[in-house]
Amino acid sequence: MAIRYSRGVALLCQGLLISTVATVAWAEPRLFESSQITPAGEYTTGIEGPAVDADGNLYVVNFGKRGTIGKLVAGASQSQKALELPDGSVGNAIRFDPDGTMFIADYRKHTIFDVKKGSLAPDVYFHSDLMNQPNDITMARDGTIYASDPHFKGRSGQIWRIARSADGSVQGTVMRAARPMGTTNGIDLSPDEKTLYVGESNSGQVWAYGVQGAELTAARLIRTFEPDTIDGIRTDVAGRLLIARIARGMIAVMTPDGRLQHEVILRGSEPTNLAFGGVDGKTVFVSQRQGGFIEAFRTDQEGREHCLQTRSC
């Protein structure tokens, strides 16, 4: 009798264990499956430049109206206004350095702003009338900023290198390249920072360059998509590129040699850019122009920028 009772309890416990494990497995988010996480219409059609700070808060440009920066607190489902840029300025890209300073590319006023951690006041970090319209930016470990600077009407572009000099002043230089560029748009560094990836919207091409000071070397075409179907680019710690396929409604996950590994189907058809966040840096937030909302999916690798933010690499 006691033996049968113990066996029954064991079977019951085993059944509960299997049921519990199955429930946990069922509840675990699936990789590369996107869902909408903020209401439609929060952002204007200029929604762009998502970036996540070290506390897990997501910042996106043009919340409610142009010239604003929206904030989605970690774990929240609705954004709020974080700050406003000076009159006439409109942001297009945001990045954070490891100290928590936010950098914002203002394409209207040819300016890069910085906002110190704990502040809501944008200060001019760099300005040049020689800029066409700074579009997207990425940051190196030492604080150097690389900015794509397209000329959409001329279907051309360039890359700026912006860094502090020995005397503490901020200097910007148009980087020399061996080939004429198209409309430079999405941009990011490889994990070892030896390669700069640049997407050219007009041609749909993604190029890789070696970085030597203010010179872009060894230009290498790694993949060509359809013209006018690529926008923002981010890299992960494995060296892969995640590319916003605007007008195609997906994020392409691509190896450094141009092989497609995944095509993440999105809720909206016009993704403009993306950023890594979440506790482990494996949640990808996507700014969606169609509908003016944020959607997100889980991936299997931490983002390069998140790794720098948390100082874990």
Side-chain angles (χ1 to χ4, degrees), residues 146 158-160 174-179 181 184 187 195-198 208-219:
Y146 298 93
Q158 55 195 6
I159 303 296
W160 283 74
V174 175
M175 300 187 76
R176 300 182 300 276
R179 57 173 292 273
M181 295 181 175
T184 51
I187 185 172
T195 303
L196 184 70
Y197 297 104
V198 180
Y209 298 91
V211 180
Q212 293 185 2
E215 186 174 0
L216 296 173
T217 65

Side-chain angles (χ1 to χ4, degrees), residues 69-108:
I69 305 296
K71 176 182 180 180
L72 182 67
V73 175
S77 59
Q78 288 188 308
S79 304
Q80 61 193 47
K81 187 172 77 173
L83 59 96
E84 290 199 30
L85 300 178
D87 287 346
S89 292
V90 182
N92 198 82
I94 304 173
R95 291 285 181 131
F96 285 90
D97 71 9
D99 294 327
T101 298
M102 177 194 300
F103 293 86
I104 306 165
D106 167 18
Y107 76 93
R108 289 291 300 277

Side-chain angles (χ1 to χ4, degrees), residues 45-50 60 136 185 230-233 244-246 251 266 270-274 286-290:
T45 55
I47 183 173
E48 255 281 10
V60 185
D136 206 354
N185 195 330
I230 60 173
D231 204 326
I233 295 175
R245 299 293 316 283
I246 193 165
I251 301 296
L266 301 173
E270 297 180 320
T272 57
N273 217 321
L274 60 144
V286 182
S287 53
Q288 185 62 250
R289 186 168 68 186
Q290 184 196 46

Side-chain angles (χ1 to χ4, degrees), residues 267-280:
R267 299 291 175 170
S269 66
E270 297 180 320
T272 57
N273 217 321
L274 60 144
F276 286 85
V279 175
D280 57 3

Side-chain angles (χ1 to χ4, degrees), residues 7 13 15 18 36 38 41 53 78 89 93 98 108 139 142 145 152 154 161 173 182 208 239 247 268 275 293 309:
R7 184 185 177 197
C13 292
I18 291 172
Q36 182 176 335
T38 65
D53 68 12
Q78 288 188 308
S89 292
R108 289 291 300 277
M139 297 198 67
D142 65 0
I145 294 174
F152 282 99
R161 180 182 184 273
T173 306
F293 59 81
Q309 280 278 88

